[in-house]
Amino acid sequence: MPFLGQDWRSPGWSWIKTEDGWKRCESCSPELGRDSSQCTLSHDVILNSEDEEIFNNEECEYASKKRKKEHFRNDTNTQSFYREKWIYVHKESTKERHGYCTLGEAFNRLDFSSAIQDIRRFTYVVKLLQLIAKSQLTSLSGVAQKNYFNILDKIVQKVLCDHQNPRLIKNLLQDLSSTLCTLIRGVGKSVLVGNINIWICRLETVLNWQQQLQNLQMTKVNDGLTLSDLPLHTLSNILHRFSDGWDVVTLGQVTPTLYVLSEDRQLWKKLCQYHFAEKQFCRHLILSEKGHVEWKLMYFTLQKHYPTKEQYGDTLQFCRHCSILFWKDYHLAWLLKDSGHPCTAADPDSCFTPVSPQHFIDLFKF
């Protein structure tokens, strides 16, 4: 009898019991999981004409039960990771340490679950999840993938509750759904951890999240001071505090006054100068009919060709002396002179380097 447990030795196939014994069920109907999912995923979303031969219309009752069981296990809120403030990043075996630290291990052990509750770290964690969704999702272990979707679920529920940063999460889910569709369509071409049914359920969950965010209605507050009550110079200062052009455009849609202020040429000029170099301006110079520089159009044109500067309230820190990756608790650092990890350097602060989301990914490339 084949081994059916969720173990690394399991091939991940679905099996059915017949009179002649257990046989592998090589195909599953797209109709199997429709009753067990809140979001109905059409067959055309997952498969194209070339891939339809992978799945046929043969009904497989056992596979349906197995898919429901796997979906229940995958949807559980139990998290299998530590809540550590720091980890040691070792890339090779030594006499003292054997093995090396992987991206999945770092994601499991560092306390990202609590970080999303901190407004300073929220954008940082979302950007990191987006980078993992684009290129590193299949490199995560099964436990790390499960934790990834659990944390993502917490983020979505937080946005649905407090109505903050919905655009960031929509971009993340868009990239994640594209990656999942590509992996499911190319099943067999790449190694996927777990059964294909798990990945289909994940895609259904992401599409369900996207639908919830699409239907999100912002609550209108009628009491107290509003943006319209503020003087013009205060509104202008608020707009000049933004480092993202899309935030400026979004705020400009609130009132006609804010729209006029959001079209200020000096505002877009400062955004271009902040994110891009002068050499890049010359390559994509856009002039109006009167000969003026169209800074707003230039900003979005340059954004398509060059990366913008990343700005976060707080990030992970990497100690070059100890090779330790950690969250720095600024309250303890100020009150107790605690560096955030057991550093042996004479001047710990001089060894710390902020870790951008891309740097975090690069730390675990061997």
Side-chain angles (χ1 to χ4, degrees), residues 183-239:
L183 292 175
I184 293 173
R185 288 171 181 169
V187 61
K189 298 179 182 179
S190 60
V191 179
L192 298 180
V193 178
N195 192 289
I196 185 62
N197 294 325
I198 294 178
W199 292 88
I200 295 176
C201 290
R202 287 170 177 172
L203 179 57
E204 292 176 346
T205 302
V206 171
L207 294 179
N208 188 28
W209 287 337
Q210 288 180 310
Q211 188 63 39
Q212 293 180 41
L213 291 174
Q214 190 68 27
N215 299 332
L216 180 64
Q217 298 292 332
M218 299 296 180
T219 55
K220 185 177 181 180
V221 180
N222 296 322
D223 300 332
L225 191 68
T226 63
L227 285 174
S228 302
D229 300 323
L230 299 176
L232 291 180
H233 70 276
T234 303
L235 295 176
S236 180
N237 287 335
I238 292 175
L239 287 169

Side-chain angles (χ1 to χ4, degrees), residues 148-363:
Y148 177 94
F149 283 93
N150 282 334
I151 292 176
L152 186 56
D153 179 49
K154 286 188 175 182
I155 291 176
V156 173
Q157 299 309 318
K158 183 177 185 299
V159 172
L160 293 175
C161 180
D162 58 24
H163 297 177
Q164 296 183 10
N165 300 304
R167 181 171 55 83
L168 290 176
I169 311 306
K170 288 180 180 179
N171 294 337
L172 167 59
L173 294 180
Q174 181 61 41
D175 291 336
L176 181 58
S177 62
S178 299
T179 299
L180 291 176
C181 283
T182 302
L183 292 175
I184 293 173
R185 288 171 181 169
V187 61
K189 298 179 182 179
S190 60
V191 179
L192 298 180
V193 178
N195 192 289
I196 185 62
N197 294 325
I198 294 178
W199 292 88
I200 295 176
C201 290
R202 287 170 177 172
L203 179 57
E204 292 176 346
T205 302
V206 171
L207 294 179
N208 188 28
W209 287 337
Q210 288 180 310
Q211 188 63 39
Q212 293 180 41
L213 291 174
Q214 190 68 27
N215 299 332
L216 180 64
Q217 298 292 332
M218 299 296 180
T219 55
K220 185 177 181 180
V221 180
N222 296 322
D223 300 332
L225 191 68
T226 63
L227 285 174
S228 302
D229 300 323
L230 299 176
L232 291 180
H233 70 276
T234 303
L235 295 176
S236 180
N237 287 335
I238 292 175
L239 287 169
H240 279 79
R241 298 287 182 179
F242 290 150
S243 61
D244 191 339
W246 284 110
D247 291 335
V248 176
V249 173
T250 303
L251 186 58
Q253 297 173 350
V254 177
T255 64
T257 302
L258 286 171
Y259 174 76
V260 174
L261 294 175
S262 67
E263 294 294 319
D264 181 28
R265 294 180 64 254
Q266 292 298 321
L267 170 63
W268 291 100
K269 180 179 179 180
K270 289 183 178 180
L271 281 175
C272 288
Q273 292 174 340
Y274 174 75
H275 288 286
F276 310 106
E278 293 185 5
K279 293 182 179 180
Q280 297 169 343
F281 294 167
C282 299
R283 297 175 182 174
H284 303 277
L285 190 63
I286 302 177
L287 299 177
S288 64
E289 295 179 356
K290 297 181 180 180
H292 300 300
V293 178
E294 295 286 352
W295 291 106
K296 182 178 180 180
L297 293 177
M298 278 189 57
Y299 173 83
F300 290 107
T301 302
L302 292 169
Q303 193 179 42
K304 296 178 181 178
H305 296 85
Y306 308 102
T308 57
K309 287 185 179 179
E310 297 178 353
Q311 190 178 45
Y312 306 103
D314 188 19
T315 68
L316 284 166
Q317 303 282 325
F318 182 72
C319 180
R320 300 185 302 274
H321 177 77
C322 306
S323 295
I324 285 180
L325 190 65
F326 65 98
W327 290 110
K328 186 173 183 179
D329 193 325
Y330 290 92
H331 297 287
L332 290 177
W334 182 73
L335 292 174
L336 306 177
K337 306 301 179 183
D338 185 6
S339 62
H341 74 285
C343 187
T344 58
D347 185 11
D349 291 338
S350 63
C351 303
F352 297 164
T353 302
V355 179
S356 67
Q358 185 59 54
H359 186 196
F360 180 88
I361 301 294
D362 295 339
L363 278 175

Side-chain angles (χ1 to χ4, degrees), residues 15-16 24 28 35 90 95 102 119 125 130 157 159 162 178 186 250 291 313 321 334 340 342 358 363 366:
W15 299 79
I16 184 171
R24 192 173 73 190
C28 303
D35 297 334
H90 52 289
K95 294 182 179 179
T102 63
I119 191 173
V125 176
Q130 189 171 12
Q157 299 309 318
V159 172
D162 58 24
S178 299
T250 303
H321 177 77
W334 182 73
Q358 185 59 54
L363 278 175
F366 306 106

Side-chain angles (χ1 to χ4, degrees), residues 12-17 22-29 32 56 58-64 195:
W13 298 102
S14 298
W15 299 79
I16 184 171
K17 189 175 183 180
W22 287 89
K23 292 185 178 181
R24 192 173 73 190
C25 182
E26 298 182 354
S27 57
C28 303
S29 169
L32 294 180
N56 60 32
E58 179 183 356
E59 293 292 336
C60 181
E61 182 180 359
Y62 180 81
S64 177
N195 192 289

